[in-house]
Amino acid sequence: MASYNIRKAVGSDLRRRPDRIMTVLSEIDASIAVVQEADRRFGERHTVLPAGLLAEHGWRAVPFENALPNAIGWHGNAVLMRDGVELLRHATLTLPVLEPRGAVLVDLAVAGAPVRIVGMHLDLSGLWRRRQAHAILEHIAAQPEQMPTIMMGDLNEWRVTAGCIADFARTHKVLPTGPTFPAGNPVARLDRVFVSNEMEVEGAGVHQSPQSRVSSDHLPLWLKVRLPRGSRRPG
């Protein structure tokens, strides 16, 4: 799996090149990708990853009903899937906000085993980030069925263990990934991954390549998990 703030496909050269984003995702070779800033921020908020381009590279986007007609995400948060990953259900999560922010929840089946994915892009304000973290955790706890859960995204949190990181860590494992921002010389761990305690993690880290260092202002995260034995899909 992957998490990637693609900055609306604008690279370090200030050119909008969605093909470079597709190349980076291909380098990671993920089955599921959570993407932030997948849609333009103003006007009709067209996606920068149109369906034809996604299909050309073997991806399809989760169809969130709340998304604007030309967008694929909820406040820019999108979830991409490869063939072989089954969509069970999906929802957009309402967060307390100072500026437009959101989160999405998707239940998937991989080789018949269920997994819940939460994608998020939190506020620049530390106070609002913590409120948003609490809201996300409340949404997860209120789901009608519990399952192995992975939360990924751009938290905008510069501190390593404090603030909203500590809030998520009370109920989920924090994976020790490295700095992702800025992509050319990363010093801040703005992008994070949290998993539920029963999840077996085989590896996680930051994907660095010549292409990823120029395609966005963030580097992507990668994650490889083994779903818990005995997992069953809902129903």
Side-chain angles (χ1 to χ4, degrees):
M1 306 182 190
S3 178
Y4 196 7
N5 183 332
I6 66 171
R7 195 195 186 190
K8 307 170 192 67
V10 176
S12 59
D13 56 3
L14 302 183
R15 298 174 62 195
R16 194 183 307 279
R17 291 274 308 276
D19 58 298
R20 296 190 294 200
I21 300 301
M22 294 291 97
T23 297
V24 173
L25 291 176
S26 294
E27 291 174 349
I28 298 173
D29 194 27
S31 300
I32 301 163
V34 171
V35 181
Q36 302 87 50
E37 298 193 26
D39 307 318
R40 300 191 189 193
R41 188 168 184 178
F42 301 107
E44 296 183 355
R45 301 187 183 181
H46 285 264
T47 180
V48 298
L49 302 176
L53 178 67
L54 292 174
E56 180 183 337
H57 291 269
W59 293 98
R60 66 190 190 280
V62 171
F64 295 108
E65 283 84 359
N66 292 7
L68 294 175
N70 297 305
I72 63 170
W74 169 245
H75 292 294
N77 294 282
V79 179
L80 311 179
M81 306 178 296
R82 293 282 197 187
D83 289 340
V85 177
E86 181 184 357
L87 177 61
L88 302 178
R89 61 182 291 268
H90 53 84
T92 55
L93 305 185
T94 301
L95 303 183
V97 295
L98 178 63
E99 53 183 339
R101 297 287 174 178
V104 293
L105 181 150
V106 178
D107 291 345
L108 304 170
V110 182
V115 60
R116 175 165 291 149
I117 305 293
V118 175
M120 54 189 164
H121 190 184
L122 302 190
D123 207 283
L124 295 173
S125 161
L127 174 62
W128 286 93
R129 280 196 299 272
R130 298 201 69 179
R131 292 173 176 172
Q132 290 163 0
H134 293 162
I136 289 169
L137 292 169
E138 288 171 1
H139 278 297
I140 292 173
Q143 294 304 306
E145 190 139 11
Q146 297 302 305
M147 64 181 66
T149 300
I150 302 169
M151 299 184 290
M152 300 185 283
D154 177 2
L155 272 60
N156 275 314
E157 177 60 76
W158 287 73
R159 294 171 293 181
V160 176
T161 59
C164 65
I165 306 297
D167 296 325
F168 286 118
R170 291 192 181 97
T171 55
H172 292 72
K173 295 185 288 189
V174 184
L175 299 191
T177 51
T180 57
F181 181 86
N185 183 29
V187 295
R189 302 185 183 196
L190 300 189
D191 303 273
R192 294 300 191 105
V193 181
F194 310 90
V195 301
S196 52
N197 291 321
E198 77 276 24
M199 186 76 69
E200 182 181 347
V201 178
E202 296 187 344
V206 178
H207 177 73
Q208 296 199 50
S209 70
Q211 188 70 277
S212 70
R213 285 190 284 270
V214 300
S215 299
S216 171
D217 59 345
H218 287 245
L219 293 171
L221 297 177
W222 63 270
L223 168 70
K224 187 175 182 180
V225 301
R226 183 181 299 275
L227 295 179
R229 294 178 181 178
S231 291
R232 296 290 185 271
R233 55 181 295 170

